Amino acid sequence: MAPWHRTAAFIWSTLAFLLYFGYTSAADPEHAINYFNNAPTRLFFFDDTTSVIYHDAIFGDIHVSQDEGKNWKRADDIPPGEAAMFIEHPFNNRVAFVLTNSYTHYRTDDRGKSWRTFNVPELVAYVQKPLSFHSDPKKSEYTLFQATKCDQIPWGEQCRDVTYYSKDGFASSPQLLLEDVSRCQFAHSSKDFKHDAHEDLIYCVAYDSSAMAGSHNIASSRLYSSTDFFATKQNEDLGIGKNAKGVVAFAIVSKFAVVALKDLTPGSEGDMLLYVTVNTKEWAKAHFPHASQARLRENAYTIVESTVHSLAVDVVLHDITTVGTLFVSNSNGTYFVESLMNTNRNMMGYVDYETIYGVEGVGIANVVANAQDVERKMAAKQLRSVITFNDGSSWDSLVAPSGTCSSESCSLHLHSVTDMHNYGPVFSSPAPGFVMGVGSVGKALAPYDESNTYMSKDAGLTWTMVREGASQYEFGDSGSVIVVVDDEQPTNSIMYSTDMGQTWNTYNVEIQFRAKGLTTVSDSTSQKFLLLGQVVRQSPQSNEGRNAAIYLDFAALGRPQCGPNDKESWYARANTKSECIMGAKQWYTRRKADADCYMGEKFHDPEVHDDKCPCEEHDYECDYNYVRSDDKCVPSGPERIPSTQCTLGTPGETYMGSSGYRKIPGNKCEGGSRMDEPMSKDCSGAEPVEGEIVYQTHPFASDIVQSEFFKDSKTVLVRLADFTIWQSSNEGYTWEQKFPEERFLVFYMHTHTDDRAYLITDSKRFYYTTDTGRYWLPSEAPSPPNTFGAQVLRFQPKSEYLIWTGNVDCQSGYQNCRAQAQYTWNNGREWRLVEDYVVNCDWARDEELRIDSTQILCESYADKQGSQAFFGKENALQLVSGTDYYAKKTKLFDHVVGFTKFSEFLIVAEYLPMRGTLNLQVSLDGRTFASGNFPPGMHPDSHAYTVLESSTKSIFLHMTMNEFPTPWGNILKSNSNGTYFGLSIDNVNRNNGGFVDFEKLVGLDGIAILNIVANPAEAALTGHKVLQTRITHNDGGTWKPLLPPSVDSLGVKYPCTSVGCALHVHGYTERFDARATYSSPSIVGVVMAVGNVGESLAAYTESDTFLSRDGGFTWEEVHKDAHLWEFGDSGSIIVIVNDEEPTDHVLFTTDEGLTWREFKFTTEKIRVRDIMTVPEDTSRKFMLLGRYPATAGSVIVHLDFSSLTHRRCLVDAEKPGYDDFELWSPSEERDSLCLFGRQTLYHRRKRDVNCVVGDTPKALDNIVQNCTCALEDFECEFNYVHNGEGQCVLVPGMTARPPDDSCRNGEDYWYEPTAYRKVDYSSCEGGDRIDRGTQHLCPGINGHSAIFWMMVILFPFAITALVAWWWYSKSGMARGTIRLPGGDYSHGSGSGAMATLASVPWFLLGLAGIAFEYIASSLESVSMGYRARRGYRDVPVDEDAQVLHFEDEE
């Protein structure tokens, strides 16, 4: 060809090429429309394929498309109307199942092209996920099927859930796995839950058939496991033995398996407990930092989307159930820290929290900015959006688009999970870094229809507005195509962008519709989209079906495929404080914004790349046997080392031990700070060989004035006289000073939340911890601590709520110096005024005083002017109650001396100025008060009194009858509501400080020890008291001397033989530390005391040490001389130390005093003042608090007996008494087998067994039976006293209490009073009821016969049952019809309406539910089932990461 011809041909071909691509690049997308009668209940894309399932649950049909929704065909292999439920196989993208309301179901192996039948013997169960699959590709045919089996009974049918299994995908008949189940699941059913358990391990939540009596009881629900398809089964004890019952849920969430169970221990109020495992072998209890505050209540917590690093749980802490607090766990899911307060949630338990897809550590949440107003005033919620870039460690506001905010409080807020409008995750998609949302800019989130559409291209760091108004949105082709559609009103077009939202094009789809959903393939790599819409009635197509599936194809745009130069590396979390998370920087490859091309990587998930980061401190956690204290990991005790090290015994010998740190499992960092490298340590600090004792001495420069452990913790605080505070996180093994620059006046442990404490300085600054001292944070109080003697901080069960009482205007002049109380609802971040000129302000609510949590009680002066320091009695001290956090005030009393709370009682000492006397007022509700009625001559108007305690439904009161210098008085005991007081015992010893020699034994209710003044007439004249000891075993009904032992600790017989000879012990008034009690909560029945055998109590230095093992019935002398004592490890070790002079040794016993061994801990003797251990007395480590004689300062000696023996106690919770423990009853040493009307068996270690109890789970206390009433179960009625013969007689001149015929508790009869009343704490039944006089019929309903009331009650139920049955049959809810619009129905399916009659309240609710279901099923809105939260377009993030939401069938 001639050259010019070749040139011309080249030019023409080039022009044709350019024209072609110019034309195609300007082309529109293509679309196709299909019409359906109903919206889909499920719209599902098979993973990495073009196949789509459209499930019409109303018509019961399955429609299948093989080309991403362009063409549709009904599944002809499934008869019309049969498809009740569609379930995909999560690990095989070719397999899915259609379940019906009969025994025949369907399976596809070719993504819906064809369907084959299979049969199951029973009907499918009403649960959210009736099928469970094995995650191993080799065992993908292994399937569990949950069904419901019903048996006919005379009045209907009785149903229970059963599980079948198939090993061949139902090719053969399935086999029965287990009956009476509520959930079964393969342990290998999640790709993230990696473990080496048996490949056939199955977990089932099921009922213990041996514990059932015809009906399901929550206490019989347990977690079982099996590796042979339940040919044999094992009860998973979760590490707590017999107590692993009450299981309500099992789920596999990310890398964790989680069990939720109901705490069935007495007094737990049915709180929920979480147990977690990461390896199927060791289960650990999940610990929340708010101990009593963050209690998991049923239906009040949600396990939200969790990462592979940690679990995230949202817990309802407020009285309202739609505000929560988000907690995030450590790497093994056992220890949680508070991440975010006041999270927004709805009544269904869904939480406004979502992690950004594919970008580790980034999540968006909504918080309720006005949570207190929502709780107090039911105000409308004001929602604010926050974002985290570090897995919840810190949160920031969303940065508003540039130029849209003018104030600091202004930011971007987005509608989230609780307001879903589309499929899949709310904000993000697999397109790397792209995030979209509907929201508003301002101080709080605007309503949805007033919101706009926003987008971020950097995973939430920065945002731009892409469209005015609310839109549905979707990403395609890895982000190269973005589609939005109007979500506020009908439209006929969509908008799309091919340059990451910089410009937008409009495309008309030719019909008018209302958008209902916009989606694409699960990994957002396709250029094809599926838009669901409801056709408007005026549209000409409306007669073809009102629901349109609009297929959009953007491949028709004709863009070229992207080359290497069109792509860029995008780093997640760029420009944040740290791009590294879990030791790596994440980055993806994505298209450049200005590149006009398509990615074309269909079904290729975005590939995440990790650049390893240098290791830093946050990449490490504390190693085993180390605990966090501030920013350091300190040893919890001597380190355990291999037997091959430290064998020479030479001085200065070393070993290579742990640095205290280990890299967090899964962390990818390399190099940098190597905090986990072993370090050389001295062998003297290693754990000794078995049988040896470790001690450590720590001197302090000043005297110890305050010391206390955190409850359930090894951390202890000590305050010295030089205003310093020291902390030990390992029971006194090592110490560190806290904030040396501060002067501390006091510290407070939170009385309701065990892991919180507050350090009070001499200024406004205070420090607090929410995690038992691991970290301390500074905060600012509204004023300096008060100097008027009022407690600075007051607490209530809601741990964030505090009352601070401080000095105001006291800096100069003192003209208006006063104590002012303020309260905070967020732990000191904000404060509000309560009252001025106060003496005491406190929360009315307490653990047992369950009244209004917003009520505050204040003692304040009536005349509020001048300096409070100079106020006297002429300025009345009023008691004012304020509800709504003191906004609504009510004056309760014009003049008081004080108030206090004891158990369920609120007690007020009212002053009557006209008579100059006191009056005792008692309340059970904080609003209404009743005056106490007292025996003659004992009214508090003329006597001082001390309220002692009220743990057994009665108030014990000490009324002083003889004043200074030799005070003593009478102990009075009230009835159950605290209004009538009777004399329990007279002449009880008291000291000048008001403290009384009265103490109840811990762990055994109703047993108390006190000292009486045996010579009251003589002592009043001479000032010398002769004391004798008395004990009661029936809560003060009768008192007896202590039975003396016959021989002393050396085997010598006591010379005392007279009837008056008894054991007498020193009491409460002589103790240096009031917390040093006779008994321990961990070793029931064991009591220790210092005393003597004789006619009366001898001097302390002339006394010896005694022990009782049966609650004070019998005693033995265990050592000569007076000693301090402390119980350890539930009584397996007891330590005593000389309390008469300086000493260099302690004595200890491992057999409760049968033998004693000496351990010398110093060469220079110490005067020991106190022995401390953890409050529960469950540790083998002790602290001696004392000082060296003739020197200033103090010393603490840490003693560690952990290596005395390494043998763990054996416990068989199923057969208590056949192991290292015994069953003991406090009644065994008496003629009667009963105490408080019942025989109770307690579980405790056998005396002669040397083993470590530790945290070994013991059997629960077992009440064998209630006993018939005997004389010990009664006490004298009001105005009656015991005479010399032990009988109750009326006090001369007094009248008996009038009869109570109110029958307020629904009794059938009332009785005239006698001289006796039943001890409130006794549970005796029948017998000789000497407290009941003549019987009278109660007025009211009992005047009618039983037949009359049977007709009145049963007739409405008969009518209701007929109506319910009609609804039941008509609505298709009869057995065989399966629909799940309501989510998960767990713990069995229940049965027909007739069987529900057993539970009347639930039956009535069920009737309303049936009516609602029928109405809902007839409405097309039921098809919005896709709003139920799922993983991204039905690719499960993890459906168990939704709400573990179960109902108790008890």
Side-chain angles (χ1 to χ4, degrees):
M1 183 181 290
W4 69 270
H5 283 144
R6 287 198 296 270
T7 303
F10 175 77
I11 292 171
W12 279 110
S13 61
T14 303
L15 286 172
F17 181 84
L18 292 173
L19 284 170
Y20 174 76
F21 276 100
Y23 171 77
T24 53
S25 64
D28 286 331
E30 293 180 354
H31 77 278
I33 305 175
N34 291 272
Y35 297 95
F36 298 89
N37 290 303
N38 301 295
T41 302
R42 271 306 286 284
L43 186 70
F44 172 75
F45 282 79
F46 284 92
D47 193 28
D48 290 343
T49 74
T50 60
S51 302
V52 197
I53 297 291
Y54 186 114
H55 178 207
D56 177 353
I58 293 177
F59 279 15
D61 288 334
I62 293 287
H63 302 274
V64 184
S65 171
Q66 301 295 342
D67 52 11
E68 299 182 63
K70 185 176 183 180
N71 298 288
W72 292 90
K73 181 176 182 293
R74 199 187 75 77
D76 295 330
D77 296 334
I78 302 174
E82 286 288 304
M85 193 184 307
F86 172 86
I87 299 175
E88 72 281 2
H89 195 305
F91 309 110
N92 187 336
N93 68 355
R94 302 185 61 84
V95 179
F97 297 85
V98 167
L99 305 184
T100 71
N101 52 14
S102 68
Y103 300 98
T104 300
H105 310 284
Y106 298 86
R107 168 188 169 127
T108 179
D109 291 286
D110 52 14
R111 306 188 185 107
K113 291 178 184 175
S114 62
W115 299 83
R116 294 180 295 141
T117 61
F118 66 93
N119 292 304
V120 178
E122 306 293 346
L123 299 170
V124 67
Y126 282 99
V127 293
Q128 190 177 26
K129 292 188 292 185
L131 297 183
S132 175
F133 302 93
H134 203 293
S135 60
D136 186 348
K138 298 175 185 174
K139 299 200 169 189
S140 64
E141 297 294 299
Y142 280 37
T143 311
L144 304 180
F145 185 106
Q146 189 163 338
T148 296
K149 185 175 183 179
C150 294
D151 300 318
Q152 293 298 320
I153 54 177
W155 52 87
E157 57 183 15
Q158 189 175 46
C159 299
R160 61 191 183 276
D161 277 9
V162 298
T163 297
Y164 289 86
Y165 72 92
S166 172
K167 295 183 179 181
D168 53 16
F170 301 101
S172 60
S173 297
Q175 304 298 308
L176 181 66
L177 180 78
L178 192 63
E179 295 200 3
D180 280 314
V181 302
S182 57
R183 176 83 193 276
C184 285
Q185 187 172 355
F186 287 105
H188 295 270
S189 60
S190 166
K191 291 176 181 175
D192 290 325
F193 185 43
K194 298 178 175 129
H195 50 84
D196 56 1
H198 192 283
E199 57 188 11
D200 290 339
L201 177 62
I202 297 174
Y203 287 110
C204 281
V205 178
Y207 294 96
D208 179 4
S209 55
S210 65
M212 284 165 45
S215 63
H216 288 167
N217 186 302
I218 188 65
S220 64
S221 177
R222 303 177 187 274
L223 181 69
Y224 295 101
S225 64
S226 175
T227 57
D228 54 12
F229 293 90
F230 282 89
T232 60
K233 70 177 180 180
Q234 176 184 345
N235 179 19
E236 291 286 334
D237 65 8
L238 308 179
I240 55 175
K242 192 177 181 180
N243 295 331
K245 56 188 178 181
V247 176
V248 295
F250 170 81
I252 293 176
V253 185
S254 184
K255 71 171 183 179
F256 309 94
V258 184
V259 172
L261 57 88
K262 201 163 193 171
D263 188 354
L264 300 176
T265 55
S268 71
E269 303 176 11
D271 291 345
M272 306 298 291
L273 306 174
L274 287 187
Y275 283 82
V276 182
T277 183
V278 292
N279 58 14
T280 74
K281 295 179 177 63
E282 292 93 20
W283 293 86
K285 182 181 176 183
H287 293 278
F288 288 82
H290 287 228
S292 66
Q293 164 77 33
R295 300 200 313 235
L296 299 182
R297 296 184 293 276
E298 200 164 4
N299 305 330
Y301 69 98
T302 304
I303 297 182
V304 297
E305 273 187 282
S306 303
T307 69
V308 292
H309 313 135
S310 59
L311 266 178
V313 179
D314 191 80
V315 183
V316 174
L317 303 187
H318 294 255
D319 292 342
I320 50 175
T321 57
T322 58
V323 180
T325 298
L326 183 69
F327 295 89
V328 177
S329 78
N330 60 349
S331 64
N332 63 4
T334 56
Y335 183 80
F336 284 80
V337 294
E338 183 184 295
S339 174
L340 186 63
M341 284 185 58
N342 299 329
T343 50
N344 183 52
R345 49 190 290 140
N346 63 15
M347 298 297 290
M348 296 292 294
Y350 292 114
V351 183
D352 275 352
Y353 169 77
E354 182 176 281
T355 57
I356 300 304
Y357 187 98
V359 184
E360 291 187 3
V362 182
I364 297 176
N366 281 346
V367 297
V368 182
N370 62 334
Q372 194 187 25
D373 290 335
V374 172
E375 184 176 0
R376 289 173 55 194
K377 308 171 184 175
M378 300 303 291
K381 287 182 180 177
Q382 295 178 11
L383 302 184
R384 296 178 60 86
S385 294
V386 289
I387 188 168
T388 178
F389 295 99
N390 52 15
D391 244 347
S393 295
S394 61
W395 296 82
D396 300 295
S397 298
L398 293 182
V399 178
S402 177
T404 59
C405 265
S406 57
S407 64
E408 286 187 11
S409 60
C410 172
S411 58
L412 175 63
H413 314 287
L414 301 174
H415 290 271
S416 186
V417 176
T418 59
D419 191 17
M420 295 277 284
H421 282 256
N422 198 4
Y423 293 89
V426 181
F427 303 122
S428 61
S429 83
F434 290 100
V435 187
M436 290 187 74
V438 173
S440 62
V441 170
K443 292 186 177 180
L445 180 62
Y448 190 81
D449 56 6
E450 297 175 17
S451 298
N452 300 317
T453 307
Y454 297 86
M455 187 173 81
S456 170
K457 292 179 281 190
D458 49 19
L461 264 179
T462 60
W463 295 81
T464 56
M465 189 177 84
V466 296
R467 182 182 176 276
E468 286 192 8
S471 307
Q472 294 190 21
Y473 42 85
E474 189 53 276
F475 303 91
D477 191 40
S478 303
S480 81
V481 182
I482 305 169
V483 179
V484 300
V485 61
D486 193 320
D487 195 27
E488 292 185 24
Q489 55 195 2
T491 181
N492 61 359
S493 61
I494 56 102
M495 294 175 62
Y496 68 94
S497 172
T498 57
D499 55 8
M500 297 189 179
Q502 296 180 46
T503 60
W504 292 87
N505 303 301
T506 301
Y507 177 66
N508 192 313
V509 297
E510 301 169 358
I511 63 168
Q512 196 79 6
F513 66 95
R514 179 73 166 85
K516 294 295 183 182
L518 175 61
T519 186
T520 182
V521 296
S522 57
D523 53 13
S524 288
T525 56
S526 173
Q527 297 189 75
K528 300 174 179 63
F529 295 76
L530 194 55
L531 171 60
L532 297 180
Q534 190 171 46
V535 180
V536 298
R537 292 185 184 277
Q538 296 76 16
S539 173
Q541 295 85 2
S542 61
N543 58 353
E544 300 182 42
R546 290 285 310 283
N547 295 275
I550 304 167
Y551 163 85
L552 300 168
D553 183 3
F554 289 88
L557 293 181
R559 299 174 297 164
Q561 187 167 0
C562 299
N565 294 332
D566 297 314
K567 300 175 183 178
E568 63 180 357
S569 297
W570 174 77
Y571 279 83
R573 291 182 309 278
N575 305 323
T576 58
K577 294 173 185 174
S578 174
E579 295 180 34
C580 300
I581 190 165
M582 289 298 284
K585 292 181 183 177
Q586 279 184 302
W587 61 275
Y588 291 88
T589 299
R590 72 179 190 185
R591 199 199 70 172
K592 294 177 180 176
D594 56 357
D596 186 17
C597 58
Y598 73 96
M599 292 290 285
E601 298 175 348
K602 196 166 185 178
F603 306 134
H604 177 73
D605 289 346
E607 187 176 347
V608 61
H609 305 272
D610 287 327
D611 288 350
K612 304 291 191 296
C613 296
C615 294
E616 298 180 32
E617 186 177 349
H618 58 75
D619 295 312
Y620 297 91
E621 61 186 7
C622 290
D623 201 357
Y624 172 75
N625 210 33
Y626 283 77
V627 293
R628 175 75 65 178
S629 178
D630 268 356
D631 291 328
K632 299 187 293 294
C633 291
V634 298
S636 57
E639 185 173 3
R640 185 171 294 177
I641 59 173
S643 58
T644 56
Q645 299 193 29
C646 294
T647 57
L648 301 177
T650 57
E653 187 181 359
T654 62
Y655 70 97
M656 296 303 291
S658 170
S659 65
Y661 297 87
R662 68 173 182 181
K663 193 186 292 187
I664 297 172
N667 193 288
K668 301 171 184 173
C669 73
E670 293 178 352
S673 174
R674 292 298 308 274
M675 298 179 66
D676 58 346
E677 285 191 337
M679 54 194 300
S680 178
K681 298 183 179 181
D682 195 291
C683 284
S684 61
E687 184 177 280
V689 296
E690 187 167 7
E692 290 194 14
I693 300 166
V694 174
Y695 72 95
Q696 195 91 339
T697 304
H698 196 287
F700 293 93
S702 185
D703 288 338
I704 298 169
V705 293
Q706 187 182 4
S707 58
E708 191 168 353
F709 272 93
F710 286 91
K711 192 177 178 184
D712 292 325
S713 168
K714 298 177 180 179
T715 301
V716 60
L717 298 178
V718 163
R719 180 170 61 89
L720 305 182
D722 61 4
F723 305 102
T724 60
I725 282 184
W726 296 74
Q727 174 180 320
S728 172
S729 300
N730 44 27
E731 299 175 76
Y733 186 65
T734 59
W735 292 88
E736 61 175 335
Q737 185 179 352
K738 309 307 295 184
F739 312 107
E741 70 280 4
E742 301 281 11
R743 281 169 50 90
F744 292 102
L745 304 181
V746 69
F747 68 81
Y748 294 109
M749 296 292 185
H750 199 298
T751 51
H752 303 281
T753 304
D754 300 334
D755 43 19
R756 293 193 170 209
Y758 299 80
L759 313 180
I760 310 301
T761 73
D762 57 359
S763 66
K764 290 183 180 181
R765 180 182 292 267
F766 68 93
Y767 295 84
Y768 70 93
T769 178
T770 60
D771 52 12
T772 60
R774 288 180 178 85
Y775 298 98
W776 291 90
L777 300 169
S779 191
E780 195 84 1
S783 54
N786 75 87
T787 53
F788 295 96
Q791 185 169 313
V792 179
L793 275 177
R794 294 287 189 177
F795 308 99
Q796 68 140 303
K798 291 197 291 190
S799 59
E800 296 280 316
Y801 287 70
L802 313 171
I803 294 176
W804 176 279
T805 304
N807 277 355
V808 175
D809 293 341
C810 296
Q811 291 80 9
S812 60
Y814 281 87
Q815 293 95 343
N816 293 304
C817 178
R818 63 195 183 278
Q820 182 186 84
Q822 300 209 32
Y823 86 95
T824 175
W825 59 95
N826 51 19
N827 208 39
R829 290 189 286 276
E830 299 170 84
W831 297 88
R832 286 185 184 169
L833 176 67
V834 175
E835 186 64 281
D836 270 315
Y837 291 95
V838 301
V839 170
N840 179 20
C841 279
D842 198 358
W843 301 100
R845 188 178 177 91
D846 215 340
E847 289 291 356
E848 295 182 50
L849 188 61
R850 299 298 179 84
I851 55 181
D852 186 355
S853 63
T854 72
Q855 185 177 357
I856 297 174
L857 298 170
C858 274
E859 297 172 53
S860 66
Y861 288 102
D863 183 11
K864 299 184 189 301
Q865 56 185 356
S867 173
Q868 186 173 334
F870 304 114
F871 287 174
K873 282 188 178 180
E874 69 283 352
N875 194 348
L877 195 59
Q878 301 175 332
L879 182 62
V880 177
S881 165
T883 57
D884 194 12
Y885 303 103
Y886 220 68
K888 303 170 185 174
K889 293 190 275 189
T890 304
K891 185 166 65 174
L892 298 177
F893 298 100
D894 289 318
H895 209 152
V896 298
V897 174
F899 73 90
T900 187
K901 295 176 293 184
F902 273 91
S903 297
E904 65 268 38
F905 301 102
L906 175 62
I907 304 169
V908 177
E910 182 188 18
Y911 179 66
L912 305 173
M914 299 294 291
R915 298 191 307 208
T917 59
L918 294 178
N919 190 25
L920 193 77
Q921 298 277 355
V922 181
S923 174
L924 295 173
D925 62 6
R927 297 187 304 273
T928 54
F929 288 80
S931 294
N933 292 279
F934 293 87
M938 298 184 203
H939 198 277
D941 57 5
S942 54
H943 302 281
Y945 66 90
T946 302
V947 180
L948 298 174
E949 70 92 60
S950 57
S951 64
T952 49
K953 302 182 181 178
S954 301
I955 301 170
F956 278 84
L957 197 74
H958 182 273
M959 192 71 65
T960 300
M961 306 304 292
N962 195 73
E963 298 287 354
F964 181 84
T966 51
W968 69 80
N970 299 341
I971 284 186
L972 311 178
K973 182 190 174 189
S974 79
N975 59 349
S976 61
N977 62 8
T979 52
Y980 285 93
F981 286 83
L983 178 65
S984 176
I985 185 171
D986 48 18
N987 302 331
V988 179
N989 184 46
R990 198 205 89 177
N991 65 12
N992 291 322
F995 294 103
V996 182
D997 268 350
F998 171 93
E999 183 182 319
K1000 284 203 169 184
L1001 299 192
V1002 183
L1004 287 173
D1005 290 331
I1007 302 180
I1009 297 176
L1010 53 74
N1011 285 334
I1012 63 168
V1013 178
N1015 62 335
E1018 176 189 330
L1021 298 173
T1022 64
H1024 173 68
K1025 300 177 189 176
V1026 174
L1027 301 183
Q1028 295 178 346
T1029 300
R1030 299 287 185 266
I1031 190 170
T1032 178
H1033 286 93
N1034 61 352
D1035 208 33
T1038 54
W1039 296 85
K1040 301 173 184 176
L1042 295 182
L1043 192 66
S1046 56
V1047 296
D1048 65 9
S1049 56
L1050 303 177
V1052 178
K1053 196 175 176 82
Y1054 284 108
C1056 178
T1057 56
S1058 68
V1059 175
C1061 179
L1063 173 64
H1064 308 282
V1065 298
H1066 292 269
Y1068 194 81
T1069 58
E1070 300 179 66
R1071 288 190 192 138
F1072 174 76
D1073 184 355
R1075 295 169 296 189
T1077 54
Y1078 290 129
S1079 54
S1080 163
S1082 69
I1083 175 172
V1084 64
V1086 176
V1087 190
M1088 288 196 73
V1090 170
N1092 63 282
V1093 174
E1095 301 283 343
S1096 62
L1097 184 62
Y1100 189 79
T1101 53
E1102 298 172 15
S1103 300
D1104 303 311
T1105 305
F1106 292 82
L1107 179 143
S1108 169
R1109 295 193 74 246
D1110 52 19
F1113 286 109
T1114 60
W1115 294 80
E1116 57 191 281
E1117 183 185 294
V1118 291
H1119 212 279
K1120 291 295 182 183
D1121 299 329
H1123 288 79
L1124 297 172
W1125 66 88
E1126 187 59 90
F1127 303 94
D1129 190 34
S1130 302
S1132 74
I1133 184 166
I1134 301 173
V1135 175
I1136 63 174
V1137 63
N1138 192 301
D1139 194 28
E1140 297 183 7
E1141 59 187 4
T1143 183
D1144 58 1
H1145 67 274
V1146 295
L1147 298 165
F1148 65 93
T1149 176
T1150 57
D1151 52 21
E1152 295 173 17
L1154 291 177
T1155 58
W1156 293 90
R1157 292 160 61 187
E1158 179 181 304
F1159 174 68
K1160 187 174 181 179
F1161 58 84
T1162 181
T1163 54
E1164 185 180 354
K1165 291 188 176 183
I1166 294 173
R1167 181 63 173 101
V1168 179
R1169 286 296 183 188
D1170 196 9
I1171 311 178
M1172 285 184 72
T1173 186
V1174 295
E1176 302 77 28
D1177 293 347
T1178 54
S1179 172
R1180 288 196 153 215
K1181 299 173 184 177
F1182 301 82
M1183 296 191 317
L1184 307 180
L1185 279 61
R1187 59 183 303 161
Y1188 294 108
T1191 61
S1194 53
V1195 64
I1196 290 181
V1197 180
H1198 167 87
L1199 299 174
D1200 185 356
F1201 295 88
S1202 302
S1203 292
L1204 270 182
T1205 178
H1206 291 156
R1207 178 179 172 261
R1208 304 285 296 186
C1209 293
L1210 299 175
V1211 61
D1212 186 349
E1214 301 292 337
K1215 295 181 179 179
Y1218 293 89
D1219 45 26
D1220 290 332
F1221 291 82
E1222 64 183 358
L1223 288 172
W1224 169 79
S1225 170
S1227 56
E1228 286 180 354
E1229 304 297 329
R1230 309 164 69 206
D1231 295 334
S1232 168
L1233 289 175
C1234 301
L1235 187 63
F1236 287 105
R1238 54 190 173 270
Q1239 186 182 10
T1240 307
L1241 297 178
Y1242 295 91
H1243 202 218
R1244 68 182 188 184
R1245 189 194 64 119
K1246 292 175 181 175
R1247 187 173 192 176
D1248 56 353
V1249 176
N1250 184 21
C1251 60
V1252 179
V1253 178
D1255 54 3
T1256 303
K1258 291 177 281 188
L1260 295 175
D1261 302 337
N1262 180 30
I1263 297 177
V1264 177
Q1265 61 183 5
N1266 284 334
C1267 308
T1268 53
C1269 295
L1271 186 62
E1272 302 91 56
D1273 297 302
F1274 300 93
E1275 58 193 358
C1276 291
E1277 181 54 278
F1278 179 66
N1279 278 347
Y1280 287 80
V1281 293
H1282 281 109
N1283 62 9
E1285 300 173 3
Q1287 298 173 328
C1288 293
V1289 296
L1290 189 65
V1291 175
M1294 293 292 105
T1295 57
R1297 192 160 66 89
D1300 179 9
D1301 61 355
S1302 63
C1303 300
R1304 64 173 61 90
N1305 295 319
E1307 301 93 338
D1308 293 332
Y1309 302 95
W1310 65 271
Y1311 300 88
E1312 293 182 8
T1314 68
Y1316 296 88
R1317 68 184 180 196
K1318 185 163 161 280
V1319 174
D1320 280 309
Y1321 202 62
S1322 172
S1323 60
C1324 71
E1325 300 169 345
D1328 185 10
R1329 293 301 299 267
I1330 57 177
D1331 61 325
R1332 293 177 174 177
T1334 306
Q1335 173 182 297
H1336 299 275
L1337 189 67
C1338 281
I1341 64 171
N1342 291 304
H1344 294 285
S1345 68
I1347 295 176
F1348 172 85
W1349 287 112
M1350 189 179 299
M1351 291 298 296
V1352 169
I1353 293 169
L1354 290 183
F1355 181 75
F1357 283 109
I1359 297 297
T1360 307
L1362 290 174
V1363 174
W1365 188 257
W1366 180 81
W1367 274 113
Y1368 184 72
S1369 305
K1370 181 177 176 61
S1371 65
M1373 285 292 287
R1375 173 59 60 200
T1377 303
I1378 301 173
R1379 292 182 298 100
L1380 293 173
D1384 198 346
Y1385 304 81
S1386 94
H1387 269 339
S1389 308
S1391 58
M1394 299 302 290
T1396 323
L1397 272 169
S1399 179
V1400 173
W1402 292 112
F1403 167 61
L1404 296 177
L1405 287 173
L1407 178 61
I1410 290 169
F1412 173 78
E1413 294 281 3
Y1414 174 74
I1415 295 166
S1417 68
S1418 63
L1419 299 176
E1420 292 179 341
S1421 61
V1422 74
S1423 61
M1424 289 301 287
Y1426 58 73
R1427 287 196 184 184
R1429 187 164 188 207
R1430 313 184 190 284
Y1432 195 77
R1433 292 173 204 78
D1434 300 291
V1435 179
V1437 170
D1438 205 317
E1439 290 224 4
D1440 290 327
Q1442 292 187 17
V1443 190
L1444 289 178
H1445 183 84
F1446 290 78
E1447 290 189 358
D1448 187 353
E1449 285 202 13
E1450 192 169 12

